[in-house]
Amino acid sequence: LRIPVARPEIRSVTEQVEGNQKRIQVTIQGAGRVAAGEASEKIDRPALFHTAAKATINAVERLLDHRIGARLDDAATFRFGSREVLLVIVTCQIEDREETFVGASFVGVRPTESAARATLDALNRRIYNLTLQGPRLPEEET
């Protein structure tokens, strides 16, 4: 038996201002399931890449029924020639060990979408391994 998720894709990334907060919601789809995650930041202390990455992690956690214990370590941009690239580092708690992954995306017109893509790029490596392993089932008694 395998986990019913195969390489999730981003369906939407939305931003909404509520008072002094900006809320970012990321909706993803994988193997016929849809999950949304969100995160907020103070407008006067913007950290769009981090907030969008956290919303994406939240959506993936929901899609996988909180099986990967992921947390954002960092998100930062770098310039390579004429292009700006966003790198996201995510650590997952897997049973008794931690695994760290990096994801990348070119920074486009919508920075929040770039952050969601980079975060999903990092997490898809872990999701792929979970899909191959499948869930652990108790041994049947004979």
Side-chain angles (χ1 to χ4, degrees):
L1 185 64
R2 292 178 183 259
I3 293 174
V5 176
R7 194 158 177 90
E9 296 177 352
I10 297 167
R11 288 185 66 186
S12 66
V13 178
T14 60
E15 300 173 46
Q16 184 175 358
V17 175
E18 298 171 346
N20 69 343
Q21 298 278 315
K22 178 179 272 192
R23 182 170 53 97
I24 298 174
Q25 183 178 54
V26 176
T27 304
I28 59 174
Q29 178 175 355
R33 294 180 65 192
V34 176
E38 56 185 53
S40 297
E41 65 180 23
K42 290 187 176 184
I43 291 175
D44 61 346
R45 297 183 60 195
L48 278 179
F49 294 129
H50 287 84
T51 306
K54 288 176 183 177
T56 306
I57 289 169
N58 186 277
V60 171
E61 287 278 6
R62 288 177 182 205
L63 192 71
L64 295 176
D65 298 321
H66 302 278
R67 293 192 60 222
I68 62 172
R71 73 172 187 272
L72 176 66
D73 288 339
D74 204 359
T77 59
F78 299 90
R79 185 153 297 280
F80 289 102
S82 64
R83 303 295 300 256
E84 189 176 17
V85 176
L86 172 65
L87 295 180
V88 173
I89 299 172
V90 178
T91 297
C92 298
Q93 183 68 40
I94 309 299
E95 296 171 2
D96 61 344
R97 69 186 188 286
E98 287 188 340
E99 294 181 14
T100 301
F101 303 95
V102 65
S105 175
F106 288 112
V107 178
V109 180
R110 297 200 53 213
T112 53
E113 286 183 11
S114 301
R117 280 194 311 272
T119 306
L120 198 55
D121 181 46
L123 290 173
N124 270 334
R125 299 170 208 277
R126 182 66 224 157
I127 293 166
Y128 178 75
N129 289 340
L130 280 174
T131 303
L132 287 179
Q133 293 170 359
R136 294 182 178 215
L137 300 175
E139 295 291 324
E140 286 186 36
E141 293 182 20
T142 54

